[in-house]
Amino acid sequence: SMESNVLTIYRYDGKLLATSQGAVTQDKASHPIFRDFLPNLETGHFTVSNREGRSWLAYFSTTSDFPVVVEVKLPQEQVAARWRTEMITPLLIMVATLIALFVFTRAAQWAVRQRATMQEESASQAQRLRNILDSAADAIVTVDVSSIVHEYNRAAEQLFRIPADQAIGSHASALLAPGESAGYQGLVDYFLRTGSAPVFADGQKIKTRRRDGTPMLLSYAISEVTIKDERLLTCIFR
């Protein structure tokens, strides 16, 4: 019966990754694999005894493809019985170990490839979004609740006459003349309180001045999005 066999997988530095038994309390310093074998011997076997006096025969092996150690333990009396009757116990144990190691390695490699693919797709989507924003005719500025600029497209550079490398990371009021910053912050504060942009007598428009002092009459819209628990405001200006 294989019910009493124990399969355990460790990371190469000794951290427990998975086990078929209920709990593993032995730490790296006292474990024979990490104390007596690694890194000089990458495979081997040894005998251990538990607190009840039961002896176990343990086999382990590592792989060069992935930094894990696979350990198989069997009751010593079970191994002795099989050795006497079948003479194939070492072969069975080694085959089981190699199969478990192969399956674990393949699964880990697949997970790494999937992560790389997802990262490539995410980067591609981000670039497509950037291209869309930069081709928009309207100025698009995204800020957080502290009014720090996160996104700033090419139309915004032309409208405010400030390059993106100066705008991104700065307070949005820096896009306007010094005397106009209070009016801008009032718009943001009103939106954060009410969820809507204030409406002026001539519609969603406001008279203001660029940082260089030239006047502007802006129409605008504000929307909110939450990304990873962070509130962001997207402002579209024309």
Side-chain angles (χ1 to χ4, degrees), residues 199-207 217:
V199 178
F200 297 91
D202 55 350
Q204 301 276 106
K205 294 183 180 179
I206 184 172
K207 293 179 180 180
L217 177 62

Side-chain angles (χ1 to χ4, degrees), residues 88-107:
I88 61 171
T89 298
L91 178 60
L92 292 177
I93 296 174
M94 186 59 66
V95 169
T97 302
L98 293 178
I99 290 175
L101 190 58
F102 176 81
V103 171
F104 184 84
T105 300
R106 291 300 182 186

Side-chain angles (χ1 to χ4, degrees), residues 1-7 19-22 54 56 72-75 77-78 82:
S1 171
M2 296 291 288
E3 294 179 355
S4 56
N5 295 355
V6 177
L7 173 64
T19 181
S20 62
Q21 68 183 121
R54 192 178 186 188
W56 297 76
V72 179
K73 290 196 304 184
L74 301 96
E77 66 272 16
Q78 183 185 49
R82 289 185 178 180

